[in-house]
Amino acid sequence: MFFDRKSLSDEVLASFYQALLVPRKIEEKMLILLRQGKISKWFSGWGQEAISTAAVMAMEPDEFLLPMHRNLGVFTGRGIPLDRLFAQFQGKITGYTKGRDRSFHFGSIEHHIVGMISHLGPQMALADGIALSHKLKKEKKATLVFTGDGASSEGDFHEALNIAAVWQLPVIFLIENNGYGLSTPSHEQFRCEQFIDKGPGYGMEAVKVDGNNILELYHCLSEIAKDIRENPRPFIVEACTYRMRGHEEASGTKYVPQGYFEEGAKKDPIKNFEEFLVSEGILNKSRKQEIHQDIQEKIETGLEKAFASSPPEANTVRELEDIYAPYDPILIEATSNKTSEKRLVDAVQDGLRKCMQRHPELILMGQDIGTYGGVFKVTDGFIEKFGPERVRNTPLCESAIIGTALGLSVAGYKSVVEMQFADFVSCGFNQIVNNLAKLHYRWGQNADVVIRLPTGAGVGAGPFHSQSNEAWFFHTPGLKIIYPSSPYQAKGLLASAIEDPNPCLFFEHKGLYRSISEEIPDDYYNLEIGKAHLVSEGEQLSIITYGMGVHWAKEATQETGIKADILDLCTLLPWDKAAVATTVRKTNKVIILHEDCLTGGIGAEIAAWISEHCFEELDAPVMREASLDSPVPFAANLENNFLPKDRFKEKLEKLLKY
């Protein structure tokens, strides 16, 4: 192995050796602890240490690194305290996730590290978002994200590279090619000969390096990082290496040919670099022993502190409190009495416009939201007013855009992502439920992202443009779900969602966009998230609903003459339990109405809660009415039959007579 030191001093080369050695020595110890049952799992980076070490050395200390399973050297190289690192491995309270997650599934903003999730590919879009923040601020900074040859088969890999290329983001996509995705060899993962072949397809440059040669890697990454700081654009760097142990220790290595390990041993990054340093007169036997001993002592000291740390005590209050980032909203009323009549779509547009003026760090992203103004024209004229940097047309890649929004949040931005239709959010489902929703609970990082979702049926759009999918997310702690039914609510709740540092899903019914209107304040104002609104009052029964259901309920009570409380939830997560309990105690009869399908809908949870907590107040069974348990049909008569509007009137009278 040839090492070209170029102008690197003896001191720098010696520091490289120490940085290389630390993760290897830690791993030696961790493998012992694993066998002793003192840690539960271990993902080996044995043989790949040069990649992480070179990346740390090449990037500036305040530039973000987004590591994966085999990048222990990133954490040690960035100076993560060893006692906290070891406590993390052991699930102790002093670990970065307080025992809530394991191994390298954490980040530290202090050290400019953003941790992975087990789904691998979504990590890459976060790097896009961080890099975009540097470009927006005109900072001469680069971002480096790791991925593996196996993870490159995921759609998130393609989406992240495509976004970075289209937007010319200063990101280094460092692909650790060790020939295996768990047990699946490369020839069963992809047909191209090498990853640099992918570069031209994305319109980006790509280079291939020896992933076991720390100096080759360092010089390559340093030159690229320096270049893209001045001339922002993405790079693929393929680092060819060897994974000398199993995917994780329990999986073993029987599926790997022996020749692979023999070749990998010859290319060991530490052994070869050590021999180079000896030949250069930088390292001798006594100095080597001194370095090894110093590292070993630091490891033992860190372990001693970690072992002395307490395991996490189960505390339900603390667990629930940590789901959301702390936030104490301040309610703001309109400063003048000036009002104007606005449709719901106008209210959303006005609210968004006011928020763009109020929050200069707010970025809008979505398909066709630029010059076209979005398919529902909510952002019409925005690109002229706020510019293309803040109103960003995106490729068709929902997962990467949501991930990019999360990366922006890590860098201190706010973002609103428009799903062209709520149905399309399924393509970004993983980013929402596993990244946005869990981030604060896992390692204290908030996700300041709002996702706007034009939703609902009744417009003849068929199965893929008409779904009510709020229940998909209702089960996921860490999200806030908002669903206004009026222009006044839409403007005020959208402002609150954008102010809130937690991830918010904002549902807007397409059928209400241009069919309802009301006088609302022209000034900026916000409304309380999690607070239901009593639309009308009556003594005979209670209707609990939201969105289009509010209007169906009003129409049904007017037609039947039934005097009912109509409680509009407004927010579905968290929902207003106190308001629900109050109306149930008042009327003693309750029906829940929503447009979503009946089975597994939000009404089922509310009905169960009422039955458990308000049973003694009930004079009739808790009833529900909802759409059929079928996809949303296209033809008007089929769609009308699908929707619960007509059936609801019958159920309402049935409840009244009970």
Side-chain angles (χ1 to χ4, degrees):
M1 190 179 292
F2 174 71
F3 291 97
D4 184 359
R5 64 184 293 173
K6 296 188 177 179
S7 60
L8 296 176
S9 67
D10 289 358
E11 291 75 17
V12 169
L13 292 174
S15 71
F16 279 19
Y17 175 67
Q18 292 182 64
L20 260 179
L21 198 57
V22 171
R24 177 68 65 86
K25 299 296 288 184
I26 289 175
E27 181 158 348
E28 289 174 352
K29 187 67 176 181
M30 291 302 120
L31 292 173
I32 294 171
L33 295 178
L34 182 68
R35 289 192 291 270
Q36 294 174 343
K38 294 179 179 178
I39 59 172
S40 64
K41 206 172 188 69
W42 185 253
F43 291 91
S44 175
W46 196 296
Q48 298 185 200
E49 295 91 346
I51 301 173
S52 300
T53 305
V56 171
M57 299 299 185
M59 304 297 286
E60 297 294 335
D62 63 349
E63 292 179 323
F64 275 93
L65 298 173
L66 293 88
M68 298 284 276
H69 283 123
R70 309 191 199 289
N71 301 123
L72 173 58
V74 167
F75 297 91
T76 57
R78 278 285 170 90
I80 292 278
L82 292 185
D83 60 302
R84 289 201 68 188
L85 186 62
F86 298 154
Q88 172 68 24
F89 297 160
Q90 296 170 19
K92 296 294 187 70
I93 191 66
T94 53
Y96 280 86
T97 63
K98 304 178 185 177
R100 293 168 178 160
D101 212 335
R102 63 186 181 187
S103 64
F104 302 108
H105 293 201
F106 73 95
S108 170
I109 299 302
E110 174 191 357
H111 298 92
H112 290 82
I113 296 173
V114 175
M116 61 176 290
I117 64 172
S118 290
H119 301 66
L120 307 181
Q123 182 82 335
M124 301 175 72
L126 273 67
D128 285 349
I130 294 169
L132 176 58
S133 77
H134 295 319
K135 195 167 182 179
L136 291 170
K137 295 174 187 174
K138 295 179 169 52
E139 297 174 330
K140 295 182 178 181
K141 297 290 180 188
T143 301
L144 187 149
V145 59
F146 294 82
T147 193
D149 48 309
S152 71
S153 296
E154 295 186 341
D156 288 278
F157 176 91
H158 161 76
E159 291 191 17
L161 265 65
N162 192 50
I163 282 288
V166 171
W167 288 353
Q168 288 293 276
L169 301 177
V171 185
I172 299 172
F173 296 100
L174 182 48
I175 303 170
E176 297 180 281
N177 186 357
N178 59 31
Y180 283 88
L182 207 156
S183 69
T184 305
S186 292
H187 69 268
E188 294 181 21
Q189 291 275 6
F190 46 83
R191 296 299 295 172
C192 60
E193 290 295 321
Q194 50 195 355
F195 280 98
I196 58 173
D197 294 340
K198 295 179 180 287
Y202 293 103
M204 68 171 68
E205 296 157 84
V207 295
K208 187 175 184 177
V209 293
D210 183 349
N212 287 42
N213 186 324
I214 187 170
L215 296 190
E216 183 178 331
L217 266 164
Y218 169 76
H219 294 313
C220 173
L221 295 174
S222 296
E223 290 167 9
I224 292 172
K226 182 179 179 181
D227 190 1
I228 66 176
R229 290 178 192 124
E230 297 292 333
N231 180 19
R233 64 196 192 281
F235 257 87
I236 292 174
V237 176
E238 179 180 1
C240 297
T241 185
Y242 296 85
R243 191 190 74 199
M244 298 303 288
R245 302 189 70 86
H247 168 72
E248 41 82 30
E249 288 305 302
S251 66
T253 59
K254 290 182 179 179
Y255 48 85
V256 182
Q258 186 57 37
Y260 175 96
F261 294 116
E262 292 172 357
E263 186 64 26
K266 294 176 186 176
K267 298 273 290 182
D268 184 274
I270 297 175
K271 176 176 174 289
N272 281 281
F273 190 56
E274 191 175 276
E275 291 174 355
F276 166 72
L277 295 180
V278 170
S279 70
E280 291 286 303
I282 298 170
L283 190 66
N284 55 35
K285 186 176 180 180
S286 62
R287 178 60 180 146
K288 175 183 172 182
Q289 185 176 357
E290 181 183 323
I291 292 171
H292 279 247
Q293 185 174 345
D294 178 62
I295 293 171
Q296 196 63 48
E297 287 175 357
K298 289 176 179 175
I299 291 171
E300 294 300 332
T301 300
L303 279 172
E304 187 176 342
K305 288 182 69 175
F307 281 130
S309 174
S310 301
E313 292 183 8
N315 183 314
T316 300
V317 172
R318 184 175 62 235
E319 290 296 291
L320 294 176
E321 284 179 348
D322 282 355
I323 291 170
Y324 296 108
Y327 176 56
D328 188 14
I330 299 172
L331 294 181
I332 300 171
E333 296 183 358
T335 55
S336 77
N337 294 324
K338 187 177 179 182
T339 65
S340 59
E341 186 170 326
K342 286 184 170 59
R343 301 168 300 177
L344 191 138
V345 68
D346 304 323
V348 172
Q349 183 183 69
D350 191 40
L352 202 55
R353 184 187 300 110
K354 293 288 195 299
C355 289
M356 288 288 280
Q357 295 166 343
R358 187 179 183 87
H359 301 287
E361 75 282 15
L362 175 60
I363 307 298
L364 308 184
M365 295 185 287
Q367 298 164 21
D368 303 301
I369 69 166
T371 304
Y372 189 67
V375 295
F376 297 103
K377 302 304 177 185
V378 169
T379 54
D380 192 23
F382 275 46
I383 199 165
E384 290 82 7
K385 185 172 182 62
F386 301 108
E389 288 196 334
R390 293 186 66 197
V391 184
R392 307 187 72 88
N393 263 340
T394 71
L396 275 67
C397 51
E398 286 81 4
S399 182
I401 293 306
I402 295 170
T404 298
L406 181 52
L408 281 170
S409 176
V410 168
Y413 278 82
K414 291 179 175 290
S415 58
V416 174
V417 176
E418 177 183 304
M419 291 291 112
Q420 200 166 75
F421 291 87
D423 313 66
F424 299 166
V425 76
S426 57
C427 297
F429 190 79
N430 180 50
Q431 288 282 17
I432 295 173
V433 302
N434 283 317
N435 245 344
L436 269 65
K438 295 179 173 65
L439 202 63
H440 187 266
Y441 175 78
R442 288 170 53 238
W443 54 277
Q445 174 61 41
N446 71 300
D448 199 343
V449 178
V450 175
I451 302 175
R452 292 184 44 244
L453 299 141
T455 189
V459 293
F464 305 115
H465 296 77
S466 306
Q467 295 172 91
S468 295
N469 49 20
E470 60 272 11
W472 294 358
F473 305 100
F474 183 66
H475 185 65
T476 304
L479 300 175
K480 295 188 179 182
I481 304 175
I482 302 163
Y483 202 138
S485 67
S486 71
Y488 178 75
Q489 289 177 7
K491 181 176 177 179
L493 287 172
L494 181 58
S496 295
I498 291 170
E499 288 169 3
D500 197 311
N502 293 287
C504 296
L505 305 185
F506 195 84
F507 286 87
E508 305 161 11
H509 200 291
K510 304 188 298 292
L512 296 177
Y513 268 155
R514 292 172 171 82
S515 64
I516 60 170
S517 62
E518 65 178 325
E519 288 282 329
I520 68 171
D522 289 339
D523 287 345
Y524 180 93
Y525 66 92
N526 62 10
L527 297 172
E528 184 177 354
I529 293 173
K531 189 76 171 176
H533 171 59
L534 193 60
V535 175
S536 65
E537 294 192 56
E539 302 295 330
Q540 293 179 293
L541 53 83
S542 298
I543 304 169
I544 299 169
T545 186
Y546 58 90
M548 183 62 83
V550 173
H551 302 277
W552 289 335
K554 289 164 65 175
E555 182 180 327
T557 54
Q558 289 168 4
E559 290 182 5
T560 60
I562 294 173
K563 307 299 182 184
D565 270 7
I566 300 176
L567 184 67
D568 180 359
L569 291 172
C570 306
T571 305
L572 306 180
L573 193 65
W575 57 279
D576 193 342
K577 295 181 174 67
V580 168
T582 297
T583 189
V584 172
R585 293 189 186 108
K586 173 185 172 183
T587 70
N588 312 116
K589 293 181 179 180
V590 61
I591 183 169
I592 303 158
L593 169 67
H594 56 65
E595 182 177 327
D596 192 11
C597 300
L598 183 69
T599 301
I602 289 168
E605 171 61 26
I606 297 172
W609 187 88
I610 293 171
S611 296
E612 181 177 356
H613 296 277
C614 305
F615 179 77
E616 294 179 353
E617 310 292 337
L618 295 172
D619 290 339
V622 178
M623 294 187 181
R624 294 178 293 152
E625 194 55 64
S627 291
L628 299 180
D629 288 331
S630 77
V632 187
F634 161 63
N637 61 332
L638 297 180
E639 187 177 37
N640 290 336
N641 182 64
F642 166 82
L643 293 169
K645 182 179 176 181
D646 293 335
R647 293 189 300 276
F648 174 66
K649 295 172 189 175
E650 298 174 9
K651 186 70 71 70
L652 202 59
E653 293 177 338
K654 178 181 178 182
L655 176 61
L656 184 63
K657 295 174 182 176
Y658 194 91

